Amino acid sequence: MKYLGHGGNGQVYLATHLSLHSCCAIKRVSKEQDSYSQTVKEARLLRLLNHSGIPHLFDFEEDEQYGYLIEEYIPGDTLKNYCKNNKIELYEITDIMVQICGILSYLHQQKPPVFFLDLKPENVIYKDGKVTLIDFGNAHCQGEEQSVSYGTVGYAAPEQYGLLPVDERSDIYGAGVLLKFLLEEQKKETDRWKKDFLAEEKILLKIADRCMQFHPMKRYRNIKEVENQLCKMMKKGGKRKEQGDTVTAAIALASCNERMGTTHAALWLCAWQNERGTKTYYVDCSQNKHAEKFIASQGCMKSDGSYEYKHVRLLPYYLYGKERRNVSYILDCGCYWNMEEREYEESTVRCLVAGTNPWERENLRRVLRKENAVREMPVILYAFSGEDAVRRAERELGINQGIRIPYCPGIEEICEGGKNENAWMEELLEYVHARDGPVPKYWCGRDRK
């Protein structure tokens, strides 16, 4: 355990979660402090939030003297330290603020809405272009009894001192103060600030000034308006950082029913891609996380929180979406009904894993009856099935878009990339890489005689 510093009303330590084999941050708060109830409230709130820009809560524990908030450790610098040690450009400022607006928008859309109320450079972690909001000790849900004050002097809106009820416009005020702070830091590095005031800087200052109006009614109506204004400026030609760390391909697999071979196919595809030189992460999005637990226990943990087991690279589910790299992702979604509940990026190719036995064909027919099912999942993978059985099932169901997955005996062989049975993966990847263009010949049985 390593002491990291003082956060909010307690001490923060870096530790290793023994079950998950990953780093975590532990905030220890004394029960004797008047604000201890706020720590309990913070834990209850974090338990309900799920956003890539908010730390994941692992647990909350108590003993006779202290409460322990155990959450995901977010590496990187606070914005305050980052600005001290780096020159910050206008495109970075705009990008940072757009991300912050996205996080605040997520909070404001909760039911009831959540107001962060402590937006300051020390509460924003920034690394490799990624923003994370930390320390929800002052967060407030709409409808709760309002305290006398929230937040930090110099960053808090006037109504946070009891003048008016707080609402989402209080966070808008904080966003304006933070934007002004970043512009002041940029000013220190820019000699031309007074001589040649750029149009982009004027626009950002104008946005900050409106956010910081004393009366809430004179500010932007909601945080989405602030985000839209920032995005407009970026589209008008403001220099923007090139994003090299983007996902090259994401494939989501789900089955018509349990124990159909989704994990089998996902791990196999991941191992095969890594073996051929395409860096790929396997992400267990299923409810039970059996594969994630197995690979984490057998594999070697990497510095980025991922695990490597033979040719399989595992990214724990709670880390997925918090950063984007120049890699591919294979998402194991378990059953189709679990996949339905999730949101996917537009570029994600969704595949349905099915079987050819009579009861399995009936489950497939039930899924295909759903509106837009074929359009949303254009690829059907038939697990552990023979060629004749696949064609017979397709004739019966009136579809012709399937790929047969051959049998592979065990997890060791799967994680090593199989036994030269790679035709189905080549066929699937041919479609994935051509999805934005014409359908490739021989895709999923099309044009076959």
Side-chain angles (χ1 to χ4, degrees), residues 23-25 54-58 70-74 318-319 322:
C23 293
C24 62
I54 298 173
H56 174 77
L57 178 70
F58 290 134
I70 307 169
E71 59 186 46
E72 176 190 359
Y73 170 67
I74 307 296
Y318 75 90
L319 286 178
K322 289 188 175 295

Side-chain angles (χ1 to χ4, degrees), residues 78 141 178:
T78 64
C141 292
L178 183 61

Side-chain angles (χ1 to χ4, degrees), residues 212-274:
M212 294 172 61
Q213 290 294 307
F214 183 86
H215 199 287
M217 293 297 291
K218 294 185 178 181
R219 302 172 201 160
Y220 291 99
R221 290 176 299 174
N222 53 62
I223 198 67
K224 200 68 182 175
E225 285 191 356
V226 183
E227 183 179 358
N228 289 340
Q229 290 299 313
L230 292 166
C231 289
K232 280 182 183 177
M233 197 203 83
M234 295 170 78
K235 290 178 182 178
K236 285 180 179 178
K239 186 179 176 183
R240 185 106 186 252
K241 185 177 181 180
E242 293 296 327
Q243 297 292 334
D245 297 336
T246 55
V247 180
T248 56
I251 304 174
L253 281 71
S255 60
C256 293
N257 49 282
E258 294 181 352
R259 305 184 68 82
M260 192 66 262
T262 308
T263 299
H264 174 109
L267 288 172
W268 195 352
L269 182 57
C270 177
W272 179 72
Q273 288 229 95
N274 282 315

Side-chain angles (χ1 to χ4, degrees), residues 22 32 126 140 150 190 206 244 253 265 267 278 306 332 341 356 375 384 392-393 443:
S22 60
E32 295 181 359
Y126 186 60
H140 175 76
Y150 302 86
T190 308
K206 187 175 180 180
L253 281 71
L267 288 172
T278 303
S306 65
D332 178 358
E341 298 173 358
T356 54
R375 179 179 61 81
F384 319 135
R392 187 164 55 250
W443 166 62

